[in-house]
Amino acid sequence: MRSILFLGTSSGAGKTTLDAVFCRYLARRGMRVAPFKASNLSLNSYVTLGGEEIGMGQAFQAWASGLEPTGDMNPVLLKPSGSGRMQVILRGKPYMDISRDSVMDRDAVMEKACESYDRLMSEYDAVVCEGSGSPAELNLMKTDMANVGMMKARGVTSVLVADIERGGVFAAIYGTWLLIPDELKPLMKGFVINRFRGDVSILGSGIERVEKLTGMRCYGIVPYETLKFPEEDSMSEIGGSLGDGDIHEEFVRNLDRLIDSAEAAGVDLEGLARLLEE
Amino acid sequence: MKNIKKKVEDEIAGGNIHCNSSCAYNPCHFKGQNCTFCYCPFYPCHDERLGYEVPSEKLGSVWSCEDCLLIHRDFFVEDVMGTIEKEGLKAGDPRMREVFEDAVGRLWRPGKAVMVVGATSDAGKSMTVAALGRIMLRRGYLCAPFKSQNMSLNSRVTSKGHEIAMVQMLQAQAMGLTIPDFHMNPILLKPKGNTMSQVVVEGKPFGDYDVPGYYNDFVPGPGRDIVRRNIEFLKNRFDYVIMEGAGSPAEINIYDRDIANMRAAEIADADCILVVNVEWGGAFAYAIGTVELLPTEDRARIKGIILNNVRGDPEKMRSGAEELERRCGIPVIGIVPHVDVQLPQEDSEAFRGVKTRGNGSLRIAVVKLPRIANFTDIDPLYTEDTTVVFADCPEDILSADAIVIPGTKNTVDDYMWLVSTGIADAIKMMRGKVPILGICGGYQMMGAELVDLKGIEGREPGTYAGLGLFDNLSYWEKYDKRVVRDKAELVDGGGAVEGYEIHMGMSVVKEKPLFNITSFGRKGEVEGSVREDEMLYGTYIHGVLDKPAFRKKFISLIRSRGERPAEKVCETEDYNAFVDRNLDLLADAFESGLDMKRFLEIMGVRE
């Protein structure tokens, strides 16, 4: 499988960042890699050179990969416009408004998203995909696109990113795995624990137990970093702290720093890269 | 003794008077208490479920029943009064003993413990406990909050001078109690920075521990027993003990050493309700993962799940909730909407990342000290026409219409931060231009000198020049802590304040005092410092802004430099009443989202 999908146990688990880190890691090793997020719910968008509107997260991931962002990298962008309405951007162009009276044809849109994915797969050595929110939303699973949607449609190998900051991380990993449909569980290869502060050894017994219960492998524990990284949903607040230099360069420097500290903390990026060869 | 006999005679003659709201001390135990027996006709009952021996200067020890609630319950008073009247008993009649034993035998039973555990920190456990307590209070039940171990820098002082977490005090208020005490939070952990925490046991400092020390020595040592005896105490006195867990109960790596969650539930024999915050997504996964990681016997305690903080249409969660029920066999007893209530927050973490709050015309900079403590002091400012800015750079100070320097767990280290960020210089530049208020650690910083020759407060022993806004000097000589409640009046008139002091370190005050202390037995004491001409105020009293008197004075000095003038200079509402109204709103939201039938089943109530 030349692609990998980063899923999150919640919103803000660190998917976007780790996705960018991994893109940068692969690009540094000389791979031609592209980011992809089937569907993105965000008001924070970027306009590509081709005039297409995509999620800001994928734009940054493209820069991390050494690429110019394109519409294929985020084929479906959902922009909530208040009072129950949502604008659907498909392949960078306004497609329709979802409201109480007008429902999106999910399957048709998903097909378009898959076409974008296929195109990236044919053009690049590897595609690093990002999930959306949690993949275990029981009430949304049927219509999901970016998480189990991609797993079902293209059998993408998946790795779970779990945020330890609020606690309950083992419950989050095990619970998410439990709720992933049984036929897709074999795609769940591992997990990464994000935003850890303190002595790593304290987690050992818990990690072993979850590995045993799920068959997933722990690919590492990412230390807490106050990253000057533009969050997907609040660019304006954090953007200012990126310094006076070129924002893309600052960003990539931050990624390099994070790769170093992740590797120093024993995160097995090499192992994740091997998943692409399986 | 004779005098008391006469009083009991009068009480019996007066019959059941229910709640005496004309009494200055009412309610001295709980809202709506029965005041017929201000003096107990059964004293001393020596029933250890209701009272205990306390040391006495004259007698060696004496029976104390000040924590007995049974004698203030309507059903108990009605019952014993009926018997006393029927039998024509007088005070001191030996048959009173029989009346007591018979009534207690029929009417007393230990309370039921119910525990709210959360899938994560910030799941909404504290607010759920408060809401459930208020809901039960409205149905006439007497409840007590309990959290065995709370890690928080936000503590308060009880009327008996014990230090407990602020949030348990708030929960007690939700449950209509006016005498919250240390039993409700017997272990309080106060992080000191680095890796050490001060452990406060039953309201008094016990010692400093690091994380391994706490889990390896404290918990297996005194920890368990502390939890057991305090739960026992509360169960003997209340209909319900509504317990709160800490963090997630499913931290399987420290499971056997966690006395804040399922071990406490086991000690209390509590049924549990799991609360999951849906705001960040992944709620179903967190819920089922938490339940499934618990050992069978602990899992059996979880009787219901609440999906909390739902924005938008709760019906959208319904299909998922049903599926979750089916998958883990535990009913979802509530889908509770997000509600905007203004209540004190437990953790400063809660405003992590938040730069400002409110959108009023007066811009108040609250210095965001790294170890900010008792930051609920500033909550009353949110009720005014203010924008509160959490200031972490000089610009925030220079653009403010007023400055508040709050309390801290570590005055010296935080003062170093104040200097290194340039905020200290900014504050000095604003001297005389805008009102400046320092509370506790912030008040100490306002002085001329901080003397810590033994390094008790800061990392390095030494003497440090303070902001110099006052000529005062603060010093740390021994590892000692002042914990006291204060009632006080503004020296120049204008009204009363009420609050509490919690501080290491003392001050030599060389300024005009701000307050006259009016607390019982402390007449003549003064507190705080003021320089009216420069609008400088300093005090050790936490909660100084709660009552309208001082808040009104402080806010009236502030001149907005913005384009809009202040719309309302000041609300005169007591902050306590404001909090109480918000507790009702919170309980309303929970009632609207809870399946009340299933909830009351868990509580063992049949309606």
PDB file of all heavy atoms in Angstrom, chain A residues 15 41 48-49 65 74 80 82 84 89 91 93 98 105-106 141 145 166 177 189 192 203 207 209 241 244 264:
ATOM      1  N   LYS A  15      -3.751  15.083  14.248  1.00  0.00           N
ATOM      2  CA  LYS A  15      -3.682  14.452  12.927  1.00  0.00           C
ATOM      3  C   LYS A  15      -2.984  15.344  11.908  1.00  0.00           C
ATOM      4  O   LYS A  15      -2.071  14.911  11.213  1.00  0.00           O
ATOM      5  CB  LYS A  15      -5.097  14.194  12.368  1.00  0.00           C
ATOM      6  CG  LYS A  15      -5.915  13.185  13.064  1.00  0.00           C
ATOM      7  CD  LYS A  15      -7.250  12.991  12.331  1.00  0.00           C
ATOM      8  CE  LYS A  15      -8.148  14.210  12.356  1.00  0.00           C
ATOM      9  NZ  LYS A  15      -8.761  14.487  13.642  1.00  0.00           N
ATOM     10  N   LEU A  41     -14.007  19.572   7.182  1.00  0.00           N
ATOM     11  CA  LEU A  41     -15.009  20.509   7.679  1.00  0.00           C
ATOM     12  C   LEU A  41     -14.265  21.692   8.278  1.00  0.00           C
ATOM     13  O   LEU A  41     -13.701  21.592   9.351  1.00  0.00           O
ATOM     14  CB  LEU A  41     -15.868  19.817   8.742  1.00  0.00           C
ATOM     15  CG  LEU A  41     -16.943  20.661   9.414  1.00  0.00           C
ATOM     16  CD1 LEU A  41     -18.095  20.935   8.457  1.00  0.00           C
ATOM     17  CD2 LEU A  41     -17.484  19.949  10.654  1.00  0.00           C
ATOM     18  N   THR A  48      -5.680  27.683  -4.234  1.00  0.00           N
ATOM     19  CA  THR A  48      -4.500  27.181  -4.947  1.00  0.00           C
ATOM     20  C   THR A  48      -4.184  28.074  -6.148  1.00  0.00           C
ATOM     21  O   THR A  48      -4.999  28.923  -6.538  1.00  0.00           O
ATOM     22  CB  THR A  48      -4.735  25.753  -5.472  1.00  0.00           C
ATOM     23  OG1 THR A  48      -5.750  25.811  -6.478  1.00  0.00           O
ATOM     24  CG2 THR A  48      -5.174  24.821  -4.356  1.00  0.00           C
ATOM     25  N   LEU A  49      -3.028  27.852  -6.759  1.00  0.00           N
ATOM     26  CA  LEU A  49      -2.657  28.625  -7.945  1.00  0.00           C
ATOM     27  C   LEU A  49      -3.687  28.439  -9.042  1.00  0.00           C
ATOM     28  O   LEU A  49      -3.942  29.326  -9.848  1.00  0.00           O
ATOM     29  CB  LEU A  49      -1.270  28.187  -8.441  1.00  0.00           C
ATOM     30  CG  LEU A  49      -0.086  28.624  -7.571  1.00  0.00           C
ATOM     31  CD1 LEU A  49       1.222  28.091  -8.163  1.00  0.00           C
ATOM     32  CD2 LEU A  49      -0.034  30.147  -7.440  1.00  0.00           C
ATOM     33  N   SER A  65       5.465  18.814   1.947  1.00  0.00           N
ATOM     34  CA  SER A  65       5.889  17.806   0.972  1.00  0.00           C
ATOM     35  C   SER A  65       6.724  18.421  -0.142  1.00  0.00           C
ATOM     36  O   SER A  65       7.157  17.720  -1.063  1.00  0.00           O
ATOM     37  CB  SER A  65       4.662  17.134   0.337  1.00  0.00           C
ATOM     38  OG  SER A  65       3.737  16.725   1.318  1.00  0.00           O
ATOM     39  N   ASN A  74      -7.650  18.032  -1.351  1.00  0.00           N
ATOM     40  CA  ASN A  74      -8.816  18.092  -0.453  1.00  0.00           C
ATOM     41  C   ASN A  74     -10.064  18.279  -1.317  1.00  0.00           C
ATOM     42  O   ASN A  74     -10.592  19.373  -1.461  1.00  0.00           O
ATOM     43  CB  ASN A  74      -8.665  19.245   0.547  1.00  0.00           C
ATOM     44  CG  ASN A  74      -9.890  19.427   1.424  1.00  0.00           C
ATOM     45  OD1 ASN A  74     -10.205  20.521   1.862  1.00  0.00           O
ATOM     46  ND2 ASN A  74     -10.612  18.349   1.692  1.00  0.00           N
ATOM     47  N   PRO A  80     -19.444  25.364   7.056  1.00  0.00           N
ATOM     48  CA  PRO A  80     -20.692  25.706   7.740  1.00  0.00           C
ATOM     49  C   PRO A  80     -20.961  27.199   7.589  1.00  0.00           C
ATOM     50  O   PRO A  80     -20.077  28.003   7.825  1.00  0.00           O
ATOM     51  CB  PRO A  80     -20.417  25.361   9.211  1.00  0.00           C
ATOM     52  CG  PRO A  80     -19.113  24.630   9.238  1.00  0.00           C
ATOM     53  CD  PRO A  80     -18.377  24.979   7.987  1.00  0.00           C
ATOM     54  N   GLY A  82     -23.720  28.668   9.034  1.00  0.00           N
ATOM     55  CA  GLY A  82     -24.659  29.107  10.071  1.00  0.00           C
ATOM     56  C   GLY A  82     -26.077  28.670   9.793  1.00  0.00           C
ATOM     57  O   GLY A  82     -26.427  28.342   8.645  1.00  0.00           O
ATOM     58  N   GLY A  84     -27.701  26.017  10.219  1.00  0.00           N
ATOM     59  CA  GLY A  84     -27.934  24.696   9.638  1.00  0.00           C
ATOM     60  C   GLY A  84     -27.534  24.554   8.179  1.00  0.00           C
ATOM     61  O   GLY A  84     -27.739  23.516   7.574  1.00  0.00           O
ATOM     62  N   ILE A  89     -17.776  22.508  -1.128  1.00  0.00           N
ATOM     63  CA  ILE A  89     -16.821  22.830  -2.186  1.00  0.00           C
ATOM     64  C   ILE A  89     -16.317  21.490  -2.725  1.00  0.00           C
ATOM     65  O   ILE A  89     -15.788  20.688  -1.965  1.00  0.00           O
ATOM     66  CB  ILE A  89     -15.614  23.628  -1.642  1.00  0.00           C
ATOM     67  CG1 ILE A  89     -16.067  24.832  -0.808  1.00  0.00           C
ATOM     68  CG2 ILE A  89     -14.664  24.020  -2.754  1.00  0.00           C
ATOM     69  CD1 ILE A  89     -16.539  26.008  -1.596  1.00  0.00           C
ATOM     70  N   ARG A  91     -13.822  19.583  -5.364  1.00  0.00           N
ATOM     71  CA  ARG A  91     -12.642  19.817  -6.203  1.00  0.00           C
ATOM     72  C   ARG A  91     -12.375  21.298  -6.386  1.00  0.00           C
ATOM     73  O   ARG A  91     -12.113  21.790  -7.478  1.00  0.00           O
ATOM     74  CB  ARG A  91     -12.865  19.198  -7.581  1.00  0.00           C
ATOM     75  CG  ARG A  91     -12.868  17.706  -7.528  1.00  0.00           C
ATOM     76  CD  ARG A  91     -11.714  17.165  -8.341  1.00  0.00           C
ATOM     77  NE  ARG A  91     -11.876  15.746  -8.504  1.00  0.00           N
ATOM     78  CZ  ARG A  91     -12.561  15.202  -9.513  1.00  0.00           C
ATOM     79  NH1 ARG A  91     -13.078  15.949 -10.455  1.00  0.00           N
ATOM     80  NH2 ARG A  91     -12.683  13.909  -9.559  1.00  0.00           N
ATOM     81  N   LYS A  93     -14.330  23.907  -6.204  1.00  0.00           N
ATOM     82  CA  LYS A  93     -15.349  24.836  -6.700  1.00  0.00           C
ATOM     83  C   LYS A  93     -16.654  24.654  -5.913  1.00  0.00           C
ATOM     84  O   LYS A  93     -16.992  23.521  -5.545  1.00  0.00           O
ATOM     85  CB  LYS A  93     -15.657  24.551  -8.187  1.00  0.00           C
ATOM     86  CG  LYS A  93     -14.449  24.667  -9.087  1.00  0.00           C
ATOM     87  CD  LYS A  93     -13.976  26.121  -9.216  1.00  0.00           C
ATOM     88  CE  LYS A  93     -12.682  26.181 -10.023  1.00  0.00           C
ATOM     89  NZ  LYS A  93     -11.958  27.436  -9.807  1.00  0.00           N
ATOM     90  N   ILE A  98     -25.844  22.578   1.447  1.00  0.00           N
ATOM     91  CA  ILE A  98     -26.655  21.592   2.163  1.00  0.00           C
ATOM     92  C   ILE A  98     -27.549  22.359   3.129  1.00  0.00           C
ATOM     93  O   ILE A  98     -27.090  23.275   3.812  1.00  0.00           O
ATOM     94  CB  ILE A  98     -25.771  20.627   2.973  1.00  0.00           C
ATOM     95  CG1 ILE A  98     -24.774  19.913   2.061  1.00  0.00           C
ATOM     96  CG2 ILE A  98     -26.624  19.621   3.734  1.00  0.00           C
ATOM     97  CD1 ILE A  98     -23.816  19.012   2.807  1.00  0.00           C
ATOM     98  N   ASP A 105     -25.771  14.214  -2.222  1.00  0.00           N
ATOM     99  CA  ASP A 105     -25.678  12.819  -2.667  1.00  0.00           C
ATOM    100  C   ASP A 105     -24.290  12.312  -2.275  1.00  0.00           C
ATOM    101  O   ASP A 105     -23.317  12.486  -3.002  1.00  0.00           O
ATOM    102  CB  ASP A 105     -25.893  12.747  -4.182  1.00  0.00           C
ATOM    103  CG  ASP A 105     -25.786  11.309  -4.698  1.00  0.00           C
ATOM    104  OD1 ASP A 105     -25.347  10.419  -3.930  1.00  0.00           O
ATOM    105  OD2 ASP A 105     -26.149  11.089  -5.865  1.00  0.00           O
ATOM    106  N   ARG A 106     -24.210  11.732  -1.102  1.00  0.00           N
ATOM    107  CA  ARG A 106     -22.925  11.363  -0.512  1.00  0.00           C
ATOM    108  C   ARG A 106     -22.119  10.450  -1.441  1.00  0.00           C
ATOM    109  O   ARG A 106     -20.910  10.614  -1.607  1.00  0.00           O
ATOM    110  CB  ARG A 106     -23.187  10.705   0.848  1.00  0.00           C
ATOM    111  CG  ARG A 106     -21.957  10.307   1.630  1.00  0.00           C
ATOM    112  CD  ARG A 106     -21.621   8.845   1.425  1.00  0.00           C
ATOM    113  NE  ARG A 106     -20.364   8.476   2.063  1.00  0.00           N
ATOM    114  CZ  ARG A 106     -19.656   7.411   1.706  1.00  0.00           C
ATOM    115  NH1 ARG A 106     -20.064   6.659   0.708  1.00  0.00           N
ATOM    116  NH2 ARG A 106     -18.548   7.123   2.316  1.00  0.00           N
ATOM    117  N   MET A 141     -21.256   7.218  10.979  1.00  0.00           N
ATOM    118  CA  MET A 141     -20.362   6.287  10.301  1.00  0.00           C
ATOM    119  C   MET A 141     -20.820   5.922   8.898  1.00  0.00           C
ATOM    120  O   MET A 141     -20.008   5.736   7.998  1.00  0.00           O
ATOM    121  CB  MET A 141     -20.180   5.041  11.155  1.00  0.00           C
ATOM    122  CG  MET A 141     -18.752   4.539  11.055  1.00  0.00           C
ATOM    123  SD  MET A 141     -18.397   3.148  12.059  1.00  0.00           S
ATOM    124  CE  MET A 141     -18.116   3.668  13.654  1.00  0.00           C
ATOM    125  N   MET A 145     -16.786   9.965   5.015  1.00  0.00           N
ATOM    126  CA  MET A 145     -15.949   9.892   3.808  1.00  0.00           C
ATOM    127  C   MET A 145     -14.469   9.774   4.148  1.00  0.00           C
ATOM    128  O   MET A 145     -13.780   8.903   3.654  1.00  0.00           O
ATOM    129  CB  MET A 145     -16.189  11.120   2.930  1.00  0.00           C
ATOM    130  CG  MET A 145     -17.592  11.133   2.332  1.00  0.00           C
ATOM    131  SD  MET A 145     -17.807  12.378   1.041  1.00  0.00           S
ATOM    132  CE  MET A 145     -18.331  13.760   2.001  1.00  0.00           C
ATOM    133  N   ARG A 166      -5.771  15.275  27.743  1.00  0.00           N
ATOM    134  CA  ARG A 166      -6.955  15.324  28.612  1.00  0.00           C
ATOM    135  C   ARG A 166      -7.156  14.026  29.395  1.00  0.00           C
ATOM    136  O   ARG A 166      -8.142  13.868  30.089  1.00  0.00           O
ATOM    137  CB  ARG A 166      -8.203  15.572  27.785  1.00  0.00           C
ATOM    138  CG  ARG A 166      -8.215  16.880  27.057  1.00  0.00           C
ATOM    139  CD  ARG A 166      -9.568  17.075  26.399  1.00  0.00           C
ATOM    140  NE  ARG A 166      -9.528  18.177  25.483  1.00  0.00           N
ATOM    141  CZ  ARG A 166      -9.493  18.042  24.157  1.00  0.00           C
ATOM    142  NH1 ARG A 166      -9.494  16.845  23.618  1.00  0.00           N
ATOM    143  NH2 ARG A 166      -9.473  19.098  23.384  1.00  0.00           N
ATOM    144  N   TRP A 177     -10.911   1.615  18.312  1.00  0.00           N
ATOM    145  CA  TRP A 177     -10.666   0.339  17.627  1.00  0.00           C
ATOM    146  C   TRP A 177     -11.912  -0.560  17.707  1.00  0.00           C
ATOM    147  O   TRP A 177     -12.331  -1.146  16.713  1.00  0.00           O
ATOM    148  CB  TRP A 177      -9.455  -0.352  18.250  1.00  0.00           C
ATOM    149  CG  TRP A 177      -9.097  -1.650  17.610  1.00  0.00           C
ATOM    150  CD1 TRP A 177      -8.349  -1.834  16.477  1.00  0.00           C
ATOM    151  CD2 TRP A 177      -9.491  -2.955  18.046  1.00  0.00           C
ATOM    152  NE1 TRP A 177      -8.244  -3.169  16.195  1.00  0.00           N
ATOM    153  CE2 TRP A 177      -8.935  -3.888  17.143  1.00  0.00           C
ATOM    154  CE3 TRP A 177     -10.251  -3.426  19.129  1.00  0.00           C
ATOM    155  CZ2 TRP A 177      -9.119  -5.267  17.282  1.00  0.00           C
ATOM    156  CZ3 TRP A 177     -10.432  -4.795  19.269  1.00  0.00           C
ATOM    157  CH2 TRP A 177      -9.874  -5.701  18.355  1.00  0.00           C
ATOM    158  N   LYS A 189      -3.257  -0.555  11.807  1.00  0.00           N
ATOM    159  CA  LYS A 189      -1.947  -1.139  12.062  1.00  0.00           C
ATOM    160  C   LYS A 189      -1.298  -0.636  13.351  1.00  0.00           C
ATOM    161  O   LYS A 189      -0.422  -1.295  13.896  1.00  0.00           O
ATOM    162  CB  LYS A 189      -0.999  -0.814  10.894  1.00  0.00           C
ATOM    163  CG  LYS A 189      -1.445  -1.368   9.566  1.00  0.00           C
ATOM    164  CD  LYS A 189      -1.421  -2.886   9.558  1.00  0.00           C
ATOM    165  CE  LYS A 189      -1.772  -3.406   8.162  1.00  0.00           C
ATOM    166  NZ  LYS A 189      -2.162  -4.816   8.189  1.00  0.00           N
ATOM    167  N   VAL A 192      -0.294   6.191  17.674  1.00  0.00           N
ATOM    168  CA  VAL A 192       0.729   7.106  18.176  1.00  0.00           C
ATOM    169  C   VAL A 192       0.084   7.908  19.295  1.00  0.00           C
ATOM    170  O   VAL A 192      -1.043   8.367  19.153  1.00  0.00           O
ATOM    171  CB  VAL A 192       1.195   8.065  17.051  1.00  0.00           C
ATOM    172  CG1 VAL A 192       2.147   9.116  17.599  1.00  0.00           C
ATOM    173  CG2 VAL A 192       1.850   7.293  15.911  1.00  0.00           C
ATOM    174  N   LEU A 203       3.844   4.919  31.209  1.00  0.00           N
ATOM    175  CA  LEU A 203       2.780   4.465  30.310  1.00  0.00           C
ATOM    176  C   LEU A 203       2.914   2.994  29.912  1.00  0.00           C
ATOM    177  O   LEU A 203       1.959   2.385  29.426  1.00  0.00           O
ATOM    178  CB  LEU A 203       2.792   5.309  29.023  1.00  0.00           C
ATOM    179  CG  LEU A 203       2.503   6.794  29.179  1.00  0.00           C
ATOM    180  CD1 LEU A 203       2.599   7.481  27.825  1.00  0.00           C
ATOM    181  CD2 LEU A 203       1.130   7.010  29.774  1.00  0.00           C
ATOM    182  N   ILE A 207       0.256   0.663  27.572  1.00  0.00           N
ATOM    183  CA  ILE A 207       0.480   0.474  26.135  1.00  0.00           C
ATOM    184  C   ILE A 207       0.493  -1.011  25.786  1.00  0.00           C
ATOM    185  O   ILE A 207      -0.164  -1.460  24.844  1.00  0.00           O
ATOM    186  CB  ILE A 207       1.803   1.151  25.706  1.00  0.00           C
ATOM    187  CG1 ILE A 207       1.632   2.674  25.767  1.00  0.00           C
ATOM    188  CG2 ILE A 207       2.214   0.716  24.307  1.00  0.00           C
ATOM    189  CD1 ILE A 207       2.908   3.453  25.504  1.00  0.00           C
ATOM    190  N   ARG A 209      -0.929  -3.456  27.282  1.00  0.00           N
ATOM    191  CA  ARG A 209      -2.268  -4.031  27.376  1.00  0.00           C
ATOM    192  C   ARG A 209      -3.087  -3.689  26.129  1.00  0.00           C
ATOM    193  O   ARG A 209      -3.755  -4.558  25.556  1.00  0.00           O
ATOM    194  CB  ARG A 209      -2.930  -3.495  28.656  1.00  0.00           C
ATOM    195  CG  ARG A 209      -4.360  -3.785  28.810  1.00  0.00           C
ATOM    196  CD  ARG A 209      -4.659  -4.746  29.969  1.00  0.00           C
ATOM    197  NE  ARG A 209      -6.069  -5.097  29.933  1.00  0.00           N
ATOM    198  CZ  ARG A 209      -6.992  -4.432  30.589  1.00  0.00           C
ATOM    199  NH1 ARG A 209      -6.653  -3.434  31.389  1.00  0.00           N
ATOM    200  NH2 ARG A 209      -8.264  -4.768  30.485  1.00  0.00           N
ATOM    201  N   SER A 241       2.399  34.286  15.590  1.00  0.00           N
ATOM    202  CA  SER A 241       3.572  33.895  16.353  1.00  0.00           C
ATOM    203  C   SER A 241       4.579  33.129  15.496  1.00  0.00           C
ATOM    204  O   SER A 241       5.563  32.632  15.980  1.00  0.00           O
ATOM    205  CB  SER A 241       3.156  33.051  17.561  1.00  0.00           C
ATOM    206  OG  SER A 241       2.431  31.941  17.115  1.00  0.00           O
ATOM    207  N   ASP A 244       8.684  36.750  11.843  1.00  0.00           N
ATOM    208  CA  ASP A 244       8.603  37.751  10.788  1.00  0.00           C
ATOM    209  C   ASP A 244       8.942  37.168   9.419  1.00  0.00           C
ATOM    210  O   ASP A 244       8.632  37.752   8.393  1.00  0.00           O
ATOM    211  CB  ASP A 244       9.576  38.907  11.081  1.00  0.00           C
ATOM    212  CG  ASP A 244       9.234  39.547  12.416  1.00  0.00           C
ATOM    213  OD1 ASP A 244       8.037  39.532  12.761  1.00  0.00           O
ATOM    214  OD2 ASP A 244      10.149  40.042  13.095  1.00  0.00           O
ATOM    215  N   ALA A 264      13.999  11.760  18.564  1.00  0.00           N
ATOM    216  CA  ALA A 264      14.743  11.668  19.824  1.00  0.00           C
ATOM    217  C   ALA A 264      13.892  10.984  20.890  1.00  0.00           C
ATOM    218  O   ALA A 264      14.395  10.303  21.771  1.00  0.00           O
ATOM    219  CB  ALA A 264      15.158  13.061  20.282  1.00  0.00           C
TER     220      ALA A 264
END
